[in-house]
Amino acid sequence: MSNLRTLLALTLLFTSVLSFPTLPLTNRATSCDSNTDKLVAGINKNIDIQKQEQAQLKVVQKMVDAGNVDQSDFDAAQSKFVDIVNKGITQRKKNQDLANGNAASDGLATVAKAQATELKTVQGLTGNAKTDDKAFAKLDTMFSGGIAQNQKNAKAG
């Protein structure tokens, strides 16, 4: 009789376990890798934006160095420049959200500080070569440094 009870209890236990819905198993490493892949893709997107910043720097610099700057043309070029820098800031913020606890976090914080200075410098351009030439040199160095930092960030990601 006790064997029958044991058999009945095991049967009920086995049947009840099988009747529960199964939860999908996730491979934690895969989801982690997926987040890392998104982070690296985002950092690479930011590098592309930094290259756009470099290209727009050349446009604005050429305009100013030519002299006799048409203020409305300069304002339009500067506005586009500010938009590109802001686009980079937005992308970096997305990257920082993905990098929470990732080895790239510190490097992205470095990029954030640089971007704040870049934005202020671009907004401060006047169209006058006497004042803007220093800013152009500073921006050129900052954009190149930002690309190098983001390449390190992508490797760390």
Side-chain angles (χ1 to χ4, degrees), residues 109-125:
T110 300
V111 172
K113 289 177 189 173
Q115 285 177 323
T117 303
E118 291 166 4
L119 181 61
K120 187 175 180 179
T121 303
V122 170
Q123 290 171 329
L125 294 173

Side-chain angles (χ1 to χ4, degrees), residues 2-95:
S2 103
N3 283 341
L4 185 58
R5 284 188 197 155
T6 304
L7 182 60
L8 183 59
L10 287 173
T11 304
L12 285 172
L13 179 65
F14 183 71
T15 306
S16 66
V17 168
L18 290 178
S19 67
F20 287 115
T22 58
L23 298 175
L25 298 176
T26 58
N27 180 345
R28 188 175 166 101
T30 301
S31 62
C32 218
D33 289 341
S34 173
N35 195 51
T36 300
D37 290 345
K38 288 178 186 174
L39 173 60
V40 171
I43 291 170
N44 286 328
K45 187 173 184 180
N46 208 358
I47 291 170
D48 290 340
I49 295 167
Q50 289 168 310
K51 290 176 182 177
Q52 292 173 29
E53 291 169 339
Q54 287 178 318
Q56 190 63 18
L57 172 61
K58 288 177 185 175
V59 168
V60 173
Q61 188 172 11
K62 184 177 179 180
M63 180 184 291
V64 171
D65 288 346
N68 293 329
V69 175
D70 179 284
Q71 196 60 43
S72 65
D73 289 345
F74 175 80
D75 291 346
Q78 182 186 30
S79 177
K80 181 177 178 180
F81 205 176
V82 168
D83 289 346
I84 294 168
V85 173
N86 279 324
K87 189 171 145 184
I89 290 169
T90 299
Q91 182 60 49
R92 188 254 316 139
K93 287 178 180 178
K94 290 177 185 177
N95 296 342

